[in-house]
Amino acid sequence: MQGAEPRHSWDTPAIQVDEDLSQLQHKIDRLEHLLKDNNQLVAMLRDSVLHNKASWETGRRGGGTNVSLDSAHGLPGCRLAEDIKDGTDGVQLLDVYDLLPFDNPDGGAWKQGFEIHYHGNEWDKQPLELFLVPHSHNDPGWVKTFDSYYQDQTKHILNNMLLKLSEDHRRKMIWAEISYFSKWWNEIDKQKREMVKRLVEAGQLELVTGGWVMADEANSHYFAMLDQLIEGHQWLQKHLGVKPRSGWAVDPFGHSPSMTYLLKGAGLSNMVIQRIHYAVKKHFSQQQTLEFLWRQSWDSSPHNDITCHMMPFYSYDVPHTCGPNPAVCCQFDFHRLPGRRVFCPWRIPPQPITEQNIKERALLLLDQYRQKSRLFRSPVLLVPLGDDFRYVESSEWDAQFSNYQKLFDYFNQHPELHIKARFGTLSDYFEALHRHQKATGMNLPTLRGDFFTYADRDDHYWSGYFTSRPFYKRLDRALEATLRYSTEILFSLTLAEMRRFRGDSRLVPDYPAPEHFRGLVAGRRSLALFQHHDAVTGTARDPVMVDYGTRLFHAILSLRHVLQSSAHWLLLVDKTQYHHDQSKPFLQMDDVFSAHDALPQKTPLTLSHESLIIFNPTEQLRSSVINIVVDSPDAHVVDAETGHTLAAQISAVWVEPSRASTEAFQAGNRSIISLFKQFDVSHLKGPEASKLRLQSGLVRQVQVQFLWYGTRTGMNQDKSGAYLFLPGEEGAQPYSFSEPPLVRVSRGPVFSDITSCFQHFTHTVRLYHLDGIKLRLIISLLQLNIKVNADKLGAYMSDFYFVFYFLEIILPSGLVIPSVTSVSAEPSCRCTQAR
Ligand SMILES: [Zn+2]
């Protein structure tokens, strides 16, 4: 540095401070290192203890015989940590997060990436093998409802697909959403169906993933994920006789290894994912690990591995898929040619390919392809060509296919460019990739972990949708529970039992099996549709959510008919008495769903006139507390088989915070003989605090605190919404109340609880007097639309327990006839959030 005076390192106090800080930093680094070593040592010791324990127990069970020490490891999902350390090429996502600085520097043309360089001779021996994969992303509901999208866009896309692919055998297309495809299939004639079959057989049309929808992977329960996959695959098998091989999930907001596991189990070998944190994409691009074998965390074998391709850039649209520079790639989206409705925001429009410009255009595009190719280990390159609801108009197909075909012809006529380019399906691409792997011995790294939480830019973490519209998330679980844990089981049992009863493999004529089966399939499909990544996520517009809610509601009603009718048959001792009359069902449910946006209401059981039947869907004995509503406090519960009186507890049904109903009473019972009732109503000042005495005699201090997050308030700042969680800088704020809460204390032999009634919600802590600690938290939000953009958070803290209230809300309800639900989460508000 010119003009700088050389100075002794101890000359000034400032330098002394620097030196001290440096030494301190060194000590901290050393301590961190020691801590890491220590953690590893503790982990090894823990693994060793587990291993020895498992071995000892195995030996003990084996009665001292020569049992292999590894036999305990044979159980799926029971792997010790050391078992899954395989090879040096494996990637653990949790380790990756430790490496990433999350600093978000400007990467130039590829904003979230880096400059990509190449020499030009990289493809001399192995030419670039390009597959351009036309696709159209059709959301089964988002801004418009499923049916509106279908009428306005989807059916035109599919109709044009038939014509345009048939015009030229080199043209290809992939399709993912079977909900739309099956709806269209129902409307087309035999001739068109034959055309579809020919296109599929010729490899021009590929059905990818085969799911009913492109499912969300964060909120969906695994059964519902599987349900939508089965529904789509069965449809494909029945109508087209095909089995999907490759998965395509470009829009779900983060990706889960559970979906990977299901896809592998469904027979898929490959998959593509897209919405991954931009810093992770950049890291994987630098490491050339965008393609990997996704392995389950608990599995040390390659048995469940699936080849996964992660898209490197910001989006799945054309500007972000041909290469790193969106301003260039946009020029090759010929749907944006001047005069059409869509344009390039980078203000350089596409040009139609002509003899005059083809060389310049082809080289410009080739440069992007080459740069993208440098991010992968193989010279086989996947480039998607599409966007949301693309290829609606016939002219759009012509613009894309004819211009690209000219470019491909040019590439193929110039071998010195070392590129083979063509339209392809997803499986065309993966087959070429696997061929290259086989020919060269190239291996892909293995990866374990999940891709949550997604951020598309800055600190925009997409965790808002984990809790958006909790009412509908609960309705989703209510339908799933009705479908899976009662109707499917009872319908199947009834068919089997009827065939056995008649002895001629036929059903009882009065039982409407075909109608019930249609109801069952409709229920499965309603649940499947709601797994779409704008449905269960809560990110669709209000009218679309109402449409989904209505479908879920009708599905529950229709499944209940199947359930009631099936249970009727199964319960009858004299089967000859069976008759079906839907207007007068033999059994009534103990709760009533009156509307898609209302909570089910318990119907009081009239004592002395009705009996209660409870269905246990598990294959084992259960001990649990059953709550029902009765019309008299003088209730006692008798086992219908033995005549024994069972223990029961009568509690109040509260119509207002301090007013109990005189017409309805809650009866909870388990096998303890006693009846007890006590209500205390009092006001508590200050935070809710009490002491809890455990069975061991220990007393624990328990405190409940409610916190809420606001959102950012600055000008031009993005706000929390259906997708994003962007809390204000002040962080979580204590929930404050002007009036102290009304507190109700209820004690009894079956359970005791404390309910605090605040202005906006009530909160109940219920302790069941069962073996061990059985604690349930119930939060009921009382006010509709509490506050847009205020993400409410309730946390329960003590020195032994911690839970967020949402965990309680999403639990499935009980499955009984009449249904007696033991889950009492009651979100009576529909919290709307808008992005
Ligand atoms: Zn989408």
Side-chain angles (χ1 to χ4, degrees), residues 137-140 142 177 214 250-253 275 316 388 532-534:
H137 178 67
N138 280 235
D139 291 305
W142 180 43
E177 298 83 8
M214 191 182 284
V250 291
D251 206 23
F253 321 142
R275 288 199 185 271
Y316 53 85
D388 291 1
H532 162 50
H533 57 265
D534 287 307

Side-chain angles (χ1 to χ4, degrees), residues 132-138 157 161 172-177 205-206 208 214 248-251 272 274 311 315-321 333 382-392 396-397 400-401 423-426:
L132 189 71
V133 179
H135 70 99
S136 182
H137 178 67
N138 280 235
I157 298 169
M161 180 268 296
K172 307 253 179 157
M173 172 83 171
I174 61 169
W175 190 269
E177 298 83 8
L205 172 65
E206 183 183 11
V208 287
M214 191 182 284
W248 177 255
V250 291
D251 206 23
V272 170
Q274 149 60 21
M311 291 192 189
S315 170
Y316 53 85
D317 61 9
V318 183
H320 297 94
T321 45
D333 183 358
L382 170 67
V383 175
L385 181 72
D387 205 337
D388 291 1
F389 294 97
R390 278 302 186 89
Y391 303 100
V392 176
E396 183 182 349
W397 290 83
Q400 301 286 29
F401 278 112
F423 295 111
T425 63
L426 212 48

Side-chain angles (χ1 to χ4, degrees), residues 81 116 158 216 329 342 597 636 726 736 759 808:
I116 304 172
L158 291 168
D216 171 55
C329 288
V342 204
D597 55 356
H636 67 281
L726 290 171
S736 57
Q759 184 192 353
E808 191 63 25

Side-chain angles (χ1 to χ4, degrees), residues 688-790:
E688 190 180 337
S690 64
K691 288 182 175 171
L692 186 69
R693 185 181 298 279
L694 305 181
Q695 279 186 333
S696 62
L698 288 173
V699 175
R700 290 284 187 251
Q701 180 78 31
V702 177
Q703 186 179 0
V704 179
Q705 192 179 17
F706 296 99
L707 307 168
W708 65 278
Y709 283 100
T711 187
R712 294 178 185 175
T713 52
M715 291 282 284
N716 301 323
Q717 276 197 314
D718 289 294
K719 308 280 189 284
S720 281
Y723 298 83
L724 302 180
F725 176 53
L726 290 171
E729 285 176 6
E730 70 281 1
Q733 299 294 298
Y735 172 76
S736 57
F737 39 88
S738 49
E739 289 283 313
L742 177 79
V743 178
R744 297 195 304 258
V745 181
S746 168
R747 297 189 187 92
V750 181
F751 64 82
S752 302
D753 60 29
I754 303 172
T755 298
S756 310
C757 303
F758 295 87
Q759 184 192 353
H760 300 108
F761 58 90
T762 65
H763 176 258
T764 301
V765 181
R766 179 167 295 170
L767 186 64
Y768 289 95
H769 304 306
L770 305 170
D771 294 339
I773 298 170
K774 294 274 173 84
L775 203 58
R776 168 156 291 144
L777 304 178
I778 305 161
I779 295 227
S780 305
L781 301 175
L782 299 176
Q783 200 179 53
L784 283 172
N785 298 326
I786 280 191
K787 192 177 177 185
V788 173
N789 287 334

